Amino acid sequence: EALRIANRLVGNSADAAALEITMGGFRARTSTDVWIAATGAMAPLHIGGVAADPGTAHLWRAGEELAFDTPAHGVRTYLALRGGLASSREAGSRSSDLMSGLGSAPLTAGSLIPLGAEVAGPIPVVESPPWGEPRDGEITLYLEPGSRADWFAPEALTALYDAIWTVTADANRSGIRLDGPELERIVTGELPSEGMVVGALQVPPSGRPTILLADGPVTGGYPVIAVVSDESLDALAQARPGTRVRFRHAVTR
């Protein structure tokens, strides 16, 4: 949602490619004037040495440095540039599959990023930021039933919802490992690889779940006890190590 809002603020198509910046520390210059907007994690933004508010469009002039510092809350900041980003000539894509190594290489010092032409309309007038600030400390996530919930003891399903889980340092775009009570299985046999979806809670032999995120594998061999609902994924993607997590049953529509 933060990506879509950033694109809307600069008049782009909702799915235009933008930059995802993890924990700040980003510096860049532009060779042409371009409108930009930043959403997601609240990283302090400076353009040409002047502080700029997130959640609104700003003109980034040629030669000026744009800089993000470490965000006060959340993990990932989204930087949309009017027109989006052009596809790479090598891969025909603007993205990377980190697990396979396919697609565009990660940005490094000196990388050049060509602008695209995915303008959808004028830059809208926005009187206040149209999104909520990411929360730290504790978040509540809503779960749908998993495909292998019957592989777990009833006590495991109770513990899943009663316990307060903690986001560990093993967290990236592929997945987030949680620390908490061991979820006991009653079916202990091996499981052939099955299709995975974003938000799946896989439970490895340790008994503590890993939640798959946007770059997670498309197949996996650990049983899925539950799946994070779509409306909870944005909060999960901004969770820092140490964040406490409570699970609740998603409301059936």
Side-chain angles (χ1 to χ4, degrees), residues 208-225:
R208 292 167 179 82
T210 294
I211 310 178
L212 302 185
L213 293 181
D215 277 354
V218 296
T219 60
Y222 296 133
V224 173
I225 191 171

Side-chain angles (χ1 to χ4, degrees), residues 63-78:
E64 291 182 336
E65 182 184 72
L66 179 145
F68 285 104
D69 293 327
T70 302
H73 305 285
V75 176
R76 297 174 173 91
T77 301
Y78 295 88

Side-chain angles (χ1 to χ4, degrees), residues 131-142:
W131 94 101
E133 181 178 345
R135 291 180 57 191
D136 293 332
E138 183 172 302
I139 59 175
T140 298
L141 306 177
Y142 293 88

Side-chain angles (χ1 to χ4, degrees), residues 18-190:
L19 293 176
E20 182 180 80
I21 300 164
T22 303
M23 295 302 293
F26 179 83
R27 302 286 187 274
R29 294 185 184 275
T30 176
S31 61
T32 184
D33 292 358
V34 60
W35 285 90
I36 64 96
T39 58
M42 306 294 287
L45 168 64
H46 290 81
I47 303 174
V50 178
D53 292 332
T56 188
H58 298 280
L59 181 60
W60 181 16
R61 295 191 180 279
E64 291 182 336
E65 182 184 72
L66 179 145
F68 285 104
D69 293 327
T70 302
H73 305 285
V75 176
R76 297 174 173 91
T77 301
Y78 295 88
L79 175 64
L81 299 95
R82 185 164 170 82
L85 307 178
S87 300
S88 70
R89 288 177 292 180
E90 295 80 9
S93 173
R94 281 99 16 129
S95 59
S96 303
D97 184 328
L98 301 182
M99 297 190 71
S100 68
L102 297 176
S104 304
L107 297 181
T108 58
S111 293
L112 298 177
I113 309 170
L115 295 177
E118 297 186 57
V119 172
I123 296 174
V125 176
V126 179
E127 296 181 356
S128 61
W131 94 101
E133 181 178 345
R135 291 180 57 191
D136 293 332
E138 183 172 302
I139 59 175
T140 298
L141 306 177
Y142 293 88
L143 300 181
E144 307 280 356
S147 58
R148 298 292 177 177
D150 58 350
W151 280 43
F152 295 86
E155 296 80 7
L157 294 170
T158 300
L160 179 65
Y161 290 96
D162 286 352
I164 299 178
W165 300 85
T166 303
V167 174
T168 71
D170 293 326
N172 58 23
R173 297 189 86 256
S174 297
I176 291 176
R177 290 181 180 174
L178 300 179
D179 190 23
E182 182 177 346
L183 302 178
E184 181 185 356
R185 285 171 54 172
I186 56 176
V187 178
T188 58
E190 292 187 6

